[in-house]
Amino acid sequence: MKGDKYHFGDYELDTARHQLRRAGEPVHVEPRALDLLRHLVEHRDRVVPKNELLDEVWGDRFVSEAALTTALRTARLAVDDTGSRQQVIRTVHRRGYQFVAAAMVIGAGAPPDDPGGEAGVQLAAAGGPLGADRQTIRFCRAGDGTRIAYAAVGSGPPLLKAANWMSHLDLEWTTPVWSHWLRGLARNRRLIRYDERGCGLSDWVVPGFTFEDWVDDLETVVEAAGLDRFPLLGVSQGGAVAVAYAVRHPERVSRLILAGAYARGRQVRARSETEGAEAALDLDVARVGWIHQDPKFLRVFASQFLPDGTPEDWDEFTTFQRQTTSPSNGVRFLEEFARIDVSDIAHRVACPTLILHSRDDERVPVSQANELAALIPDSRLVLLKSRSHLLTAFEPAWDEFLSHIDAFLTE
């Protein structure tokens, strides 16, 4: 927005004065490179196509992509970034570029020392308009005494996300695994989410570790957050938890969204002796990998979630998953996931349901989405062109994913 100041790292971009400063000192930047940087930071919530940058920076003047490449290199150098590091400006192959550094915005209508004003300071986690400083983390206790951490961020109508494995209410804002999910889901609504028992900021040492415990924890969070009637999102195994809750409490769930979800765990859905043996072997390998924290296994595990990721993406994923739970709990999660089965109750879901699934998901096969769509009466299935179990910010399917959710929740 014109007149805003953007702070990231040691830098401040003053759009009113058309000036970049580092630690208070002016940084000389070629004007077109500065225009490019300004446009990227102003539209940091999305990938900006090359053609848009050419139109914005050069207008009607015809220039080749070489001019864009040169301006991009100049902009990166000005903020101590490079094409290999990409810590400020990231290249999204065949799509464009995105500003990815955490930025603080000071609106033109509020003084820098008044963050409480309507146009005050917002911390943008990984380039978005919402951040960890804007969320409130609270704790509640489940019936068996387990402490569950939950958080709310954003404003507007509520959207509750059922917990799924590998979450951490605080660290999610700084990992590319989840940060774009939080920004996208909390835009124009209040996103409530929680860490399931054994994970994140919730208790890791717990008396119970079953599917029913997970559903009970969701009930506990609903009551603690003071929710009455709300849409519910379930991702991966959180989808089965969301289904079970919706069946228990049809008066509470207005709409259900299932993403990368399944009705039956791998052991349950094995239809032959061979499939059963494969499921058991997969679990055995996972058990050994988690107990010994084998980096080779953990990278393979990460690649199943992000098949088109780079080795750096997988290492980031591995680092994050190590921070979310203990090795012993990692094994307990995987064992319980394999036994999940809501196929006998899914037909009792009474609310409209949107099922989103990557067509070539390498972690949860698309057949599971088809099964959910067949079981839940008032459901619609949308298959996305992706191989990712957890969609990344840098693939076309991500924008489509958010668009379907926005349309579904505003019907």
Side-chain angles (χ1 to χ4, degrees), residues 35 53 66-68 79 91 141 143 150 177 198 297 304 307 311 364 368:
D35 286 339
L53 285 172
L68 175 59
V79 293
T91 301
R141 289 198 179 271
Y150 69 100
V177 178
F297 163 76
Q304 293 177 343
V364 177
Q368 290 307 294

Side-chain angles (χ1 to χ4, degrees), residues 228-402:
D228 182 19
R229 187 165 171 80
F230 53 88
L232 178 60
L233 166 66
V235 179
S236 195
Q237 101 282 348
V241 174
V243 166
Y245 181 88
V247 169
R248 281 191 194 181
H249 301 281
E251 77 287 356
R252 288 283 180 87
V253 183
S254 58
R255 288 179 176 262
L256 182 62
I257 304 169
L258 304 176
Y262 53 94
R264 296 177 297 153
R266 189 165 180 180
Q267 284 185 340
V268 177
R269 66 178 183 257
R271 294 174 295 180
S272 66
E273 186 175 330
T274 299
E275 289 185 357
E278 290 175 350
L281 177 62
D282 182 67
L283 188 56
D284 284 341
V285 171
R287 187 180 292 113
V288 172
W290 269 93
I291 290 175
H292 296 286
Q293 291 289 280
D294 183 341
K296 295 189 296 297
F297 163 76
L298 294 176
R299 179 175 277 198
V300 170
F301 189 70
S303 70
Q304 293 177 343
F305 284 78
L306 307 170
D308 293 322
T310 65
E312 291 74 20
D313 292 331
W314 298 334
D315 289 342
E316 174 74 31
F317 185 93
T318 296
T319 299
F320 178 67
Q321 69 184 4
R322 281 172 164 162
Q323 295 171 317
T324 64
T325 193
S326 65
S328 59
N329 278 354
V331 173
R332 295 174 76 184
F333 276 121
L334 292 169
E335 290 173 343
E336 192 62 28
F337 296 163
R339 295 191 287 263
I340 283 176
D341 189 359
V342 294
S343 60
D344 59 339
I345 63 170
H347 69 280
R348 292 163 52 193
V349 172
C351 62
T353 301
L354 174 63
I355 301 169
L356 297 159
H357 208 98
S358 294
R359 187 176 285 108
D360 299 306
D361 191 327
E362 294 198 2
R363 182 68 188 173
V364 177
V366 72
S367 60
Q368 290 307 294
N370 295 337
E371 180 177 48
L372 282 168
L375 289 170
I376 299 175
D378 186 9
S379 65
R380 65 192 76 170
L381 172 63
V382 176
L383 299 181
L384 304 169
K385 188 177 180 181
S386 174
R387 297 198 300 153
S388 301
H389 182 54
L390 295 178
L391 292 171
T392 69
F394 306 107
E395 54 185 315
W398 173 244
D399 291 335
E400 186 181 351
F401 175 84
L402 290 180

Side-chain angles (χ1 to χ4, degrees), residues 112 114 196 227 246 311 341 401:
D114 181 22
E196 60 190 344
L227 297 173
D341 189 359
F401 175 84

